Amino acid sequence: MTKNYFVLFLSVLFITAANAQDDAPVSVVKHQFKINALLLPGFVYEHGFSTKNTLYSEASIVLGYRHNSWYDESTWYFTPRITEQFRHYYNLEKRAVKGKRTDFNSGNFIALHANYDFQSISANKWFNEEVPSFAIGPVWGIQRTYKRKLNIDLYVGAGVLIDKYDTEFTPLANFSLGWVIGK
């Protein structure tokens, strides 16, 4: 009989603890640091300033390859880039209710994206240097952080690209694979 009371007590304790976790508000992380290692290597800091909104800041290097068919030569180029995004994570509660991860800002977002590409730091006489440019526009994306803090971040959108020669429509897209640093 005492065994049944003990099981009943543990069951009530477990259900109370589970309900308390469900009542806790789902929120983005206040401070998150990441290192991106693939495609656009760089460093990311994401600052959460409300339960669903963050400011995403990234410093990275754009790697590119060009071929000049006239001289039959090729070159790699490296361009420093700064990216800023005001992100709104809109499905954190839905993910939490379904039992999916929301840790480390794992969710879907919409964002206002802006990036500045500096002048390339490598060039040769057969190729024009990449000129500084600025791009801005809305994007939709997903960010997931898995076990061992492996992070995948993907966004797509459309925007305007402005440089010293032209202003034109441009696609905005990025896929990054990296790791969350810290807690």
Side-chain angles (χ1 to χ4, degrees):
M1 188 69 160
T2 57
K3 190 179 204 182
N4 290 339
Y5 285 127
F6 182 69
V7 170
L8 179 64
F9 174 73
L10 287 179
S11 298
V12 170
L13 186 63
F14 177 74
I15 290 170
T16 304
N19 285 339
Q21 287 179 0
D22 290 343
D23 294 340
V26 178
S27 180
V28 296
V29 177
K30 185 75 171 163
H31 303 282
Q32 178 169 286
F33 293 94
K34 296 188 308 184
I35 294 177
N36 289 336
L38 191 64
L39 300 181
L40 295 177
F43 298 96
V44 175
Y45 172 66
E46 192 168 2
H47 175 73
F49 55 89
S50 71
T51 58
K52 294 182 182 181
N53 298 313
T54 65
L55 181 62
Y56 175 95
S57 303
E58 178 178 8
S60 59
I61 298 289
V62 177
L63 307 172
Y65 177 80
R66 288 187 283 181
H67 180 77
N68 185 327
S69 60
W70 180 262
Y71 297 105
D72 195 31
E73 290 208 12
S74 301
T75 190
W76 289 92
Y77 64 90
F78 307 95
T79 305
R81 172 181 283 175
I82 294 176
T83 302
E84 295 291 331
Q85 290 181 350
F86 174 76
R87 291 184 173 186
H88 174 73
Y89 289 88
Y90 61 86
N91 74 331
L92 295 177
E93 291 89 6
K94 187 186 282 188
R95 288 182 60 80
V97 167
K98 290 182 178 180
K100 295 182 179 179
R101 288 180 67 105
T102 59
D103 298 348
F104 304 106
N105 303 344
S106 291
N108 298 3
F109 62 87
I110 54 173
L112 177 59
H113 170 93
N115 68 273
Y116 183 78
D117 289 349
F118 294 88
Q119 187 166 358
S120 64
I121 55 177
S122 63
N124 68 34
K125 64 182 179 179
W126 308 121
F127 297 91
N128 293 332
E129 292 184 12
E130 292 290 313
V131 297
S133 62
F134 175 75
I136 188 167
V139 295
W140 171 88
I142 62 172
Q143 177 171 248
R144 300 291 186 267
T145 304
Y146 299 101
K147 293 180 180 178
R148 301 176 199 247
K149 299 183 182 177
L150 173 68
N151 180 272
I152 295 174
D153 196 328
L154 168 73
Y155 61 82
V156 294
V160 176
L161 177 71
I162 303 164
D163 64 24
K164 72 178 184 179
Y165 299 114
D166 203 4
T167 299
E168 59 190 5
F169 172 79
T170 187
L172 300 171
N174 185 41
F175 171 76
S176 63
L177 177 65
W179 287 268
V180 174
I181 302 171
K183 297 179 186 177

